[in-house]
Amino acid sequence: MLRVQIQTRITYQATPVTLRCQAIVFDLDGVLCDSNAIAERHWRRWAEARGVDVGPILAAHHGRPTVETIRLFAPHLHAEVEARSKELDEADDTEGLRAFDGALRLLTTIPQERWAIATSGRHRTATNRLRHTGLPIPPVLVTADDVQRGKPAPDPYRQAIEGLGFDPTGCLVFEDAPAGVASAQAAGAVAIGIASAGHPEKLATAQAVIARLADVEVVAGDDGLVVTLAGV
């Protein structure tokens, strides 16, 4: 069984490090595409309409399902109803949406049977964003519609890795949020933090942290993937 081995922590100042793995699972928002402006816009609208302080929400919503964020910061509201309404409003909004540099190159380099996406967003939102940014929709796409427990629970990444048919110890996960890092590690995978919004200290529990997706190079072989993580 091929297991991912990381001997030293990769940070912004580190020299490039090469890893071998069986497969890679990507988070979507904040890793493959930049949807931060959309998320902030809709959280502000939602919070203002309901008299909820948006500050704590903006600091903690990354990587969490909408319903869990509402449960945390507005427990007096019906979380399922509120989440459904907000997600419907947000699903088709693509204003300001863009793919991160290197995303298309990376996804088209990896054989489709060796990569997947696990996102806290809904299926409609995820597929709309992938189509809008020109990124491929993988055969294994796990969304909030597919799991009972979202990140930081292990369910999203566990289901994605099972869908690919690999052992989690041989898989890398790329994440931009602490909740996602926790989810990946709980599933048994190796979490690589991408500080796409800055603040690498928030990803301190990841096995490695890099600055951006463009710092990742992947070469596919018959027995797996060779992944190079570069510093700035």
Side-chain angles (χ1 to χ4, degrees):
M1 181 186 303
L2 180 63
R3 293 176 181 268
V4 180
Q5 298 292 332
I6 293 183
Q7 302 298 331
T8 58
R9 182 176 178 79
I10 297 92
T11 63
Y12 286 177
Q13 290 75 35
T15 56
V17 173
T18 299
L19 310 171
R20 297 183 65 85
C21 67
Q22 294 173 320
I24 299 173
V25 185
F26 298 92
D27 178 37
L28 178 57
D29 299 293
V31 171
L32 296 176
C33 68
D34 184 357
S35 59
N36 190 60
I38 299 171
E40 182 170 328
R41 181 163 60 245
H42 284 270
W43 275 120
R44 288 187 182 281
R45 289 177 185 171
W46 180 87
E48 182 179 359
R50 289 152 183 82
V52 176
D53 183 3
V54 74
I57 292 175
L58 295 180
H61 76 90
H62 294 283
R64 294 182 183 274
T66 302
V67 67
E68 296 299 332
T69 301
I70 293 173
R71 285 175 181 148
L72 280 173
F73 298 104
H76 59 290
L77 298 176
H78 192 302
E80 288 78 9
V81 172
E82 293 291 335
R84 190 177 305 114
S85 173
K86 179 184 175 296
E87 288 165 347
L88 283 173
D89 289 341
E90 189 173 343
D92 300 324
D93 186 350
T94 57
E95 183 181 351
L97 180 67
R98 68 178 185 90
F100 280 112
D101 291 343
L104 181 60
R105 169 188 55 78
L106 199 58
L107 297 185
T108 54
T109 297
I110 308 170
Q112 66 175 13
E113 68 272 13
R114 289 191 179 271
W115 71 275
I117 291 174
T119 174
S120 294
R122 296 290 180 181
H123 187 270
R124 174 177 165 182
T125 306
T127 53
N128 281 347
R129 290 179 178 178
L130 289 167
R131 290 191 184 101
H132 180 81
T133 55
L135 298 177
I137 300 174
V140 179
L141 170 61
V142 177
T143 73
D145 296 311
D146 302 311
V147 294
Q148 290 188 338
R149 299 184 303 165
K151 305 171 189 179
D155 304 34
Y157 284 115
R158 183 177 291 159
Q159 184 165 321
I161 291 168
E162 288 176 353
L164 290 171
F166 295 106
D167 187 279
T169 59
C171 295
L172 289 179
V173 167
F174 285 93
E175 260 290 350
D176 72 309
V181 169
S183 174
Q185 292 172 331
V190 171
I192 307 298
I194 299 184
S196 54
H199 310 293
E201 68 281 358
K202 293 184 178 180
L203 302 170
T205 57
Q207 281 94 337
V209 180
I210 58 175
R212 52 188 173 258
L213 194 67
D215 291 336
V216 181
E217 298 284 345
V218 177
V219 176
D222 292 338
D223 59 347
L225 305 174
V226 178
V227 181
T228 300
L229 306 176
V232 171

